[in-house]
Amino acid sequence: MTTDNMTITVVGGGSSAHVLIPLLSSSGHTVNLLTRKPERWSRNVELQYQTFDGDVIRSFDGELNKISADPADVIPQSDAVILCMPVSAYRSTLHQLAPHINTDKEMAIGTVFGQGGFNWMVDEIKQGFTLKNITTFSFGLIPWICRVQEYGKIGITYGVKPINVAAVRPYEKFEALNSAIFEKV
């Protein structure tokens, strides 16, 4: 799995996506977005790191390479896919993505909220679609306190939670994902 200048597709448009997109983009990754509402997204997404009083401490700018509602537009070229959506949508979304995964390359599939059983859902699509080169990861909890100021344009974070954990399978891929993604967000 390539870890430098990855193409990462964020799936979903919630608060965590508004934080993740600028952080990954400003770290040098190419970021795509798969969303049901592509028309509501700007190519440039700003993240404001604010105090609880609303003062902006720092701003991060992110650029979306592609914005689409069709997995065929963004999934085949992805090195990593990160789900930013309600847990109840994980399984059906994974099944929508699976037919578009490039079987000739390694890919990481993860989520910002590691609900129990996520790895089983990924294993299900691996078996059902004969996907062999998949690394599964998830954060234990959403790593930031975040919200949306303007949908598709501006996200807000009040900072990173003091302790964050991530699970990776196979474990041997942890260091690569840690340096490419986890340390950036």
Side-chain angles (χ1 to χ4, degrees):
M1 169 181 358
T2 182
T3 57
D4 293 328
N5 301 318
M6 297 174 76
T7 297
I8 301 173
T9 298
V10 174
V11 182
S15 299
S16 58
H18 284 76
V19 173
L20 193 58
I21 291 164
L23 291 177
L24 291 172
S25 176
S26 66
S27 296
H29 297 298
T30 300
V31 182
N32 295 329
L33 178 66
L34 181 63
T35 175
R36 292 177 297 162
K37 304 172 186 174
E39 70 284 351
R40 293 193 57 202
W41 282 83
S42 167
R43 287 227 179 259
N44 297 303
V45 180
E46 179 186 358
L47 171 62
Q48 296 178 0
Y49 174 28
Q50 293 185 0
T51 67
F52 287 107
D53 295 326
D55 297 326
V56 177
I57 298 168
R58 185 171 176 198
S59 187
F60 300 86
D61 293 315
E63 182 179 334
L64 284 165
N65 178 56
K66 290 183 183 179
I67 306 165
S68 181
D70 184 355
D73 291 339
V74 292
I75 298 302
Q77 67 267 26
S78 298
D79 299 305
V81 171
I82 304 175
L83 304 184
C84 296
M85 62 183 52
V87 171
S88 61
Y90 288 175
R91 187 169 182 251
S92 63
T93 300
L94 288 168
H95 280 271
Q96 291 170 17
L97 303 180
H100 306 285
I101 293 174
N102 183 341
T103 57
D104 295 329
K105 64 190 274 187
E106 288 187 65
M107 177 192 265
I109 299 176
T111 179
V112 293
F113 178 63
Q115 178 71 21
F118 178 71
N119 59 317
W120 297 333
M121 293 178 217
V122 175
D123 286 348
E124 182 178 62
I125 66 161
K126 286 168 64 175
Q127 290 174 0
F129 293 87
T130 318
L131 303 172
K132 297 179 180 149
N133 298 319
I134 304 291
T135 298
T136 306
F137 71 92
S138 64
F139 291 96
L141 297 170
I142 297 174
W144 327 271
I145 300 169
C146 56
R147 65 183 181 89
V148 175
Q149 179 172 316
E150 185 176 351
Y151 188 85
K153 295 181 181 171
I154 303 171
I156 294 173
T157 184
Y158 302 104
V160 178
K161 293 177 182 171
I163 298 176
N164 291 299
V165 296
V168 176
R169 193 172 89 191
Y171 178 76
E172 297 78 40
K173 303 290 185 175
F174 177 83
E175 285 305 321
L177 286 173
N178 189 43
S179 64
I181 297 174
F182 305 157
E183 289 180 351
K184 310 291 190 226
V185 299

